[in-house]
Amino acid sequence: MENTYDFGLVGLGVMGRNFILNVADNGFTAMGNDLDTKKVQALIDEGGNVDKVNATVEVSAFAKALSSPRKIMLLVPAGKVVDIVIESLLPHLDKGDIIIDGGNSFFTDTDRREAYLAEKGIHFFGAGVSGGAKGARKGPSIMPGGSKPGYAAVQPIFEAVSAKYNGEPCVAYLGPKSAGNYVKMVHNGIEYGLMQLTSEMYDVLKKAGKLSNQELHETYKSWNEGRLQSFLVEITSEIFVEKDTLTDGDLVDQILDKAKQKGTGKWTSQNAMDLGIPVPSIDIAVSMREISALKDERTVADSLYDRPEVATMAKEKLTDLTEKALYFSYIITYAQGLHQLADASKEYGYDLDIAVIAKIWRAGCIIRAKLLADITNAFTEDSELPNLLLSPSFIPKIQDTVDAARELVAFGAVNGIPLPGLSNSLTYFDAYTSTRLPLNVIQAQRDYFGSHTYERLDREGIFHTEWEK
């Protein structure tokens, strides 16, 4: 089997196995590698034809079986494991070979690895893969960046296996260095925001509208047939009618309300702060997962404080408000994430094309949504658009929905229903669209206690006042 396989993949977990089978389905031969003999055998068994897809636990045999230049993708946990795998491969590689990190590596790690491997003549790039296990098998959205010659060699494979939107592959070279991993990181931050918002609408519909799980299913299903069409709304509609195999009820009612996280949302939030870009809808989504982890404390606190009795609202009115509010806050969350990408592009020299990014998110990935076609058009019309909220095509979308967001936030506040994602989205919108904010007082305070100076509205220059006479 020496020098016969087009593509190699290290890490045969669920994502890796599905991705390599996808490669084989699209006419390329593929070789897998994993330390776990059971995973190796599972791939061989599922592949069904070792001439098309094969696997081994031996790194040397794996490398020898790949055609030159070797194209090796890693789908292993982010962190030290990536470095360990790279070191295990190096003795068996030749100059010009290609290593692709398909995991959720932190972008600075990708920059470090690319520089290290470039010295050894090895092409390296990070490629974010979104779509979960099903996406990996049937067509994910892929976000590569880094070595351009390295990507060119694997481009036919990636374009073949990626999801398609109107026949267009949902993959594109995004930029140098860690551009691919960075875009995937922000993609995941947006994902956190959209998931939080989608769950908040469920909460208010259940508490104030008294909707049954069947009615929630029908409501979300109808939304998915309209302007809110998206992967997350679609799967949420299905979640509500999944029966529990351990009780007589619905599964959603038995799932513990503690959400875990792998860190990419937090990375998005932290890096946005480093860049000075506001992403409050993403920030609060991260914080809510952290609050959810405090289940025992929340239970005690709930017994200590009075909570308003939730007023009921007519189901028809409430479903209309929540649909509009969710659409509004989805737009705001995308706007924040894309603003971060635009600023990071300048800061890190990625030269990102936001329209291209929106295009490859239209199918295959977790945040795919009908809205992304409109976002693609907005940034195609104005590639220098600083914020989606400044797009002429999005102004009527916001104006049509912002009042519903206001009404729902007010209703939640009065009735003790937490709507942090929606509240933060609305506050961001109100602040971003305000000519005058009260930050003049903060500047005066800073100058008062720390002589930090201030600027004036009526003339140029830097000023300081001796406030204490």
Side-chain angles (χ1 to χ4, degrees):
M1 65 179 182
E2 189 171 343
N3 295 329
T4 57
Y5 293 89
D6 303 318
F7 184 79
L9 192 143
V10 179
L12 301 179
V14 177
M15 281 289 289
R17 186 175 74 252
N18 281 316
F19 193 93
I20 200 170
L21 290 169
N22 185 1
V23 171
D25 284 347
N26 281 279
F28 298 94
T29 55
M31 169 62 72
N33 171 251
D34 199 288
L35 296 175
D36 189 332
T37 54
K38 290 181 180 179
K39 291 178 181 177
V40 166
Q41 192 59 48
L43 175 63
I44 293 171
D45 292 343
E46 192 168 352
N49 182 344
V50 293
D51 290 332
K52 289 185 177 181
V53 57
N54 203 349
T56 177
V57 295
E58 296 293 335
V59 176
S60 58
F62 169 73
K64 285 179 182 177
L66 299 175
S67 58
S68 184
R70 297 177 179 89
K71 295 169 278 291
I72 301 172
M73 187 168 181
L74 316 183
L75 274 171
V76 299
K80 290 182 180 178
V81 176
V82 177
D83 294 306
I84 292 169
V85 172
I86 288 172
E87 290 303 321
S88 73
L89 288 170
L90 279 177
H92 310 286
L93 302 185
D94 299 316
K95 287 187 177 182
D97 286 347
I98 302 148
I99 299 177
I100 307 146
D101 182 4
N104 287 326
S105 289
F106 192 56
F107 70 100
T108 56
D109 288 339
T110 299
D111 288 332
R112 169 178 58 79
R113 290 167 185 144
E114 186 190 22
Y116 170 68
L117 289 168
E119 292 177 354
K120 300 179 181 298
I122 305 295
H123 296 292
F124 178 82
F125 65 91
V129 179
S130 178
K134 287 185 179 179
R137 187 69 178 87
K138 299 298 183 182
S141 172
I142 309 176
M143 297 155 247
S147 168
K148 203 165 187 177
Y151 175 67
V154 80
Q155 182 176 349
I157 298 174
F158 274 15
E159 289 186 349
V161 303
S162 70
K164 308 297 185 295
Y165 183 89
N166 291 339
E168 291 184 73
C170 289
V171 58
Y173 177 80
L174 298 179
K177 302 186 292 184
S178 53
N181 284 123
Y182 191 94
V183 170
K184 178 56 164 48
M185 179 186 78
V186 174
H187 163 287
N188 286 18
I190 294 171
E191 179 184 307
Y192 272 54
L194 301 184
M195 292 173 74
Q196 174 64 31
L197 291 161
T198 308
S199 72
E200 288 178 13
M201 298 307 108
Y202 150 74
D203 199 28
V204 73
L205 285 166
K206 194 172 182 68
K207 289 176 178 174
K210 308 297 183 186
L211 272 70
S212 67
N213 288 337
Q214 180 62 36
E215 289 173 318
L216 286 163
H217 161 71
E218 291 166 2
T219 298
Y220 277 69
K221 186 173 184 291
S222 69
W223 288 353
N224 192 54
E225 292 165 355
R227 60 184 174 179
L228 274 170
Q229 187 277 318
S230 60
F231 175 72
L232 287 171
V233 170
E234 177 187 355
I235 66 167
T236 306
S237 74
E238 295 172 2
I239 284 168
F240 293 128
V241 288
E242 182 71 23
K243 296 300 177 185
D244 184 18
T245 57
L246 302 179
T247 68
D248 294 332
D250 296 325
L251 179 58
V252 68
D253 297 325
Q254 299 303 324
I255 297 176
L256 184 65
D257 56 324
K258 287 171 65 173
K260 294 181 170 61
Q261 55 183 318
K262 291 187 175 179
T264 45
K266 179 182 70 175
W267 292 346
T268 304
S269 201
Q270 289 173 328
N271 183 253
M273 289 186 182
D274 292 339
L275 294 173
I277 298 298
V279 292
S281 301
I282 296 170
D283 294 338
I284 198 64
V286 176
S287 293
M288 285 304 294
R289 295 198 188 192
E290 292 163 348
I291 290 173
S292 80
L294 307 175
K295 175 69 172 179
D296 293 342
E297 293 175 43
R298 289 190 288 118
T299 302
V300 173
D302 192 11
S303 68
L304 299 177
Y305 294 95
D306 294 331
R307 182 177 295 279
E309 185 175 340
V310 177
T312 56
M313 188 185 295
K315 291 180 181 179
E316 187 175 340
K317 179 181 179 182
L318 188 58
T319 53
D320 179 62
L321 282 179
T322 48
E323 188 274 341
K324 288 178 178 175
L326 189 58
Y327 188 69
F328 165 83
S329 52
Y330 265 32
I331 292 172
I332 298 297
T333 305
Y334 280 114
Q336 291 171 18
L338 295 173
H339 186 191
Q340 181 172 347
L341 286 176
D343 200 75
S345 180
K346 297 171 186 173
E347 179 71 19
Y348 304 128
Y350 291 148
D351 195 27
L352 298 176
D353 186 328
I354 304 300
V356 168
I357 294 169
K359 280 177 71 174
I360 67 172
W361 286 350
R362 292 177 301 176
C365 73
I366 302 300
I367 65 170
R368 62 184 183 264
K370 185 176 182 179
L371 191 56
L372 281 162
D374 297 330
I375 293 173
T376 299
N377 292 337
F379 283 96
T380 300
E381 291 168 6
D382 182 1
S383 61
E384 299 300 317
L385 187 68
N387 192 301
L388 190 60
L389 299 183
L390 300 179
S391 168
S393 63
F394 273 81
I395 294 169
K397 299 181 194 298
I398 292 291
Q399 289 178 328
D400 178 55
T401 55
V402 65
D403 287 344
R406 295 191 194 287
E407 186 171 347
L408 205 58
V409 166
F411 180 86
V414 169
N415 289 277
I417 302 173
L419 299 171
L422 181 59
S423 301
N424 271 24
S425 297
L426 181 60
T427 298
Y428 171 87
F429 171 76
D430 284 335
Y432 187 79
T433 57
S434 294
T435 301
R436 184 81 166 149
L437 292 170
L439 280 295
N440 53 322
V441 174
I442 290 178
Q443 281 302 88
Q445 291 169 337
R446 293 179 73 247
D447 191 54
Y448 193 116
F449 66 68
S451 300
H452 292 298
T453 72
Y454 56 86
E455 295 169 276
R456 296 178 59 96
L457 290 169
D458 57 353
R459 63 199 68 198
E460 296 291 325
I462 303 298
F463 297 86
H464 167 64
T465 294
E466 292 296 330
W467 298 89
E468 294 184 90
K469 302 297 190 289

